[in-house]
Amino acid sequence: VFSAPPLQLAEKYFQMFPEETDPVWGNPCDDNRHLKIWTRKSCDQLPRFLVIGPQKTGTTALYAFLSMHPNISSNLPSPETFEEIQFFNGRNYYKGLEWYMNFFPIVNSSSTQFLFEKSATYFDGESVPKRAHALLPSAKLITILISPAKRAYSWYQHTRSHGDIVALNYTFQEVITANDTSPKNLRDLRNRCLNPGKYAQHLERWLSFYVPQQLHIIDGDQLRSNPVQVMDHLQKFLKITPLFDYSTHLRYDPKKRFYCQILNGNHTKCLGKSKGRFYNAMDEKSYKFLQRYYLSHNTALVKLLKRLGYRTVPQWLKDDLSDTL
Ligand code: A3P
């Protein structure tokens, strides 16, 4: 038997079990011994579903629509994280479970009140599915997909608006066609722009931890053009009652060019200027390049959707796959 002062003992332990130096938080309520030594003693303050992204597919609109539902509550706002908690991806994970749970309101009845959070970078985060599953094995997952080419372009515009020097210095065409001889900052930007759009690859990672029945895929074009129907389907998937009638709470706003929330009287409340931006259409050459770039990924996505039982392929996916030769 090895014995030593605590610090040395810890060093020895992590030498023997190096994989444990990176923590994976589980749910203390799953084990009585853990529950006994835990001060909080309640697992009600954990989300029942996650909106995982990816970025620029309409995640803010979905978040806003979900928050309108009387029986759905999102995480509390925080000056530290703005809207998104981003717990499972970045360094926040190391702040621990208590830190995460404090973002969620204490609800009267966790059986009727659904808690959720939306962090759009979860979708393509390498360690996110493993970490999310360790803590929330029975959570439901919601993802929104649009044309990966259009997503990349929207992300580029978003990044420019945020004043990113690299994005401001290069055209979209230059970003997406950057290669191994390009400067590192340009290659990094290209990767952040294009990688999330490899949908099938990221979804497969989620599906190696969660069963298909836990995953709901929303066509982002539908969310934009027919949010009432999308929200109906989503409520059925979540098995949430009573069914909230979005047709009396959402209306198309011609000035905004998007659906917005109907407020008292005849007013509508739309998302801010940064959602539904005005910019020139993507140039044809870039679109053709991206059609080819995403060809294998989109082909894999069609197969994956069939395997998951989706009977129709989204129109944007058909369009992206057409005329690629
Ligand atoms: P653009 O600003 O490029 O048009 P996210 O919230 O994930 O960052 O996604 C932003 C995108 O949501 C916007 O991209 C816009 O096209 C889309 N969107 C979908 N429904 C919307 C709505 N009702 N209001 C505003 N934007 C919406």
Side-chain angles (χ1 to χ4, degrees):
V1 178
F2 184 85
S3 182
L7 200 63
Q8 270 168 273
L9 208 55
E11 274 165 8
K12 183 77 189 162
Y13 182 86
F14 288 121
Q15 260 169 30
M16 291 168 73
F17 304 103
E19 70 282 359
E20 286 188 25
T21 46
D22 196 42
V24 180
W25 313 122
N27 189 335
C29 296
D30 291 346
D31 187 325
N32 251 331
R33 291 169 308 170
H34 295 161
L35 200 54
K36 266 191 196 146
I37 57 167
W38 193 38
T39 46
R40 184 185 289 258
K41 304 207 186 298
S42 157
C43 294
D44 285 349
Q45 264 173 290
L46 282 173
R48 210 193 285 196
F49 67 92
L50 299 173
V51 177
I52 60 174
Q55 281 183 299
K56 306 321 293 171
T57 55
T59 59
T60 314
L62 183 64
Y63 176 90
F65 299 163
L66 284 165
S67 302
M68 290 163 58
H69 195 296
N71 285 355
I72 296 179
S73 310
S74 68
N75 54 283
L76 304 161
S78 152
E80 199 182 342
T81 62
F82 300 101
E83 185 184 285
E84 298 190 345
I85 307 181
Q86 303 201 0
F87 175 64
F88 294 106
N89 47 339
R91 301 174 52 114
N92 287 338
Y93 190 67
Y94 301 110
K95 293 181 180 161
L97 192 53
E98 296 278 331
W99 182 87
Y100 185 53
M101 279 185 153
N102 283 333
F103 280 97
F104 294 96
I106 295 169
V107 290
N108 286 335
S109 164
S110 63
S111 56
T112 54
Q113 198 67 26
F114 284 55
L115 295 176
F116 83 104
E117 65 129 332
K118 175 282 257 198
S119 296
T121 46
Y122 284 169
F123 182 79
D124 52 294
E126 206 67 47
S127 5
V128 177
K130 181 180 89 182
R131 289 171 171 180
H133 187 260
L135 184 63
L136 310 167
S138 49
K140 289 186 174 174
L141 310 167
I142 300 159
T143 180
I144 312 169
L145 304 180
I146 62 171
S147 155
K150 289 199 184 139
R151 199 211 71 84
Y153 189 56
S154 169
W155 187 88
Y156 169 76
Q157 297 295 345
H158 168 88
T159 308
R160 278 171 75 94
S161 299
H162 280 250
D164 184 287
I165 304 291
V166 191
L168 286 168
N169 274 342
Y170 293 95
T171 64
F172 184 58
Q173 167 88 193
E174 285 167 334
V175 172
I176 60 176
T177 57
N179 58 38
D180 293 347
T181 62
S182 308
K184 183 171 182 320
N185 57 7
L186 183 57
R187 276 184 284 134
D188 287 347
L189 189 77
R190 174 203 60 192
N191 293 344
R192 289 198 293 136
C193 182
L194 298 182
N195 282 346
K198 300 168 183 173
Y199 296 148
Q201 205 170 292
H202 300 300
L203 288 172
E204 293 289 6
R205 190 171 341 103
W206 282 98
L207 289 168
S208 67
F209 290 92
Y210 287 91
V211 295
Q213 289 73 19
Q214 286 172 281
L215 175 71
H216 185 69
I217 302 174
I218 293 174
D219 177 342
D221 286 350
Q222 297 281 325
L223 177 67
R224 188 174 169 157
S225 63
N226 193 352
V228 172
Q229 192 189 55
V230 165
M231 295 310 289
D232 267 3
H233 289 167
L234 179 53
Q235 290 184 82
K236 281 176 194 142
F237 168 75
L238 292 171
K239 296 202 171 74
I240 190 161
T241 51
L243 217 59
F244 187 65
D245 182 8
Y246 279 93
S247 70
T248 58
H249 291 91
L250 296 176
R251 183 199 298 145
Y252 184 78
D253 185 316
K255 227 168 120 196
K256 175 76 182 170
R257 303 170 303 134
F258 284 97
Y259 274 82
C260 302
Q261 182 179 359
I262 301 172
L263 293 182
N264 289 343
N266 216 16
H267 299 287
T268 52
K269 186 180 161 209
C270 301
L271 298 183
K273 276 202 185 69
S274 65
K275 303 295 168 184
R277 286 195 173 93
F278 287 87
Y279 44 77
N280 293 333
M282 192 189 332
D283 64 284
E284 195 60 25
K285 219 170 134 196
S286 294
Y287 182 62
K288 289 268 172 247
F289 177 87
L290 290 176
Q291 272 189 311
R292 234 166 292 134
Y293 179 87
Y294 284 119
L295 179 59
S296 62
H297 302 283
N298 281 338
T299 308
L301 181 61
V302 172
K303 280 201 193 124
L304 175 60
L305 290 176
K306 292 223 167 105
R307 197 178 92 213
L308 293 176
Y310 287 83
R311 265 166 284 161
T312 51
V313 171
Q315 188 57 47
W316 56 259
L317 189 48
K318 289 183 195 159
D319 294 344
D320 276 9
L321 284 168
S322 68
D323 299 321
T324 36
L325 295 177

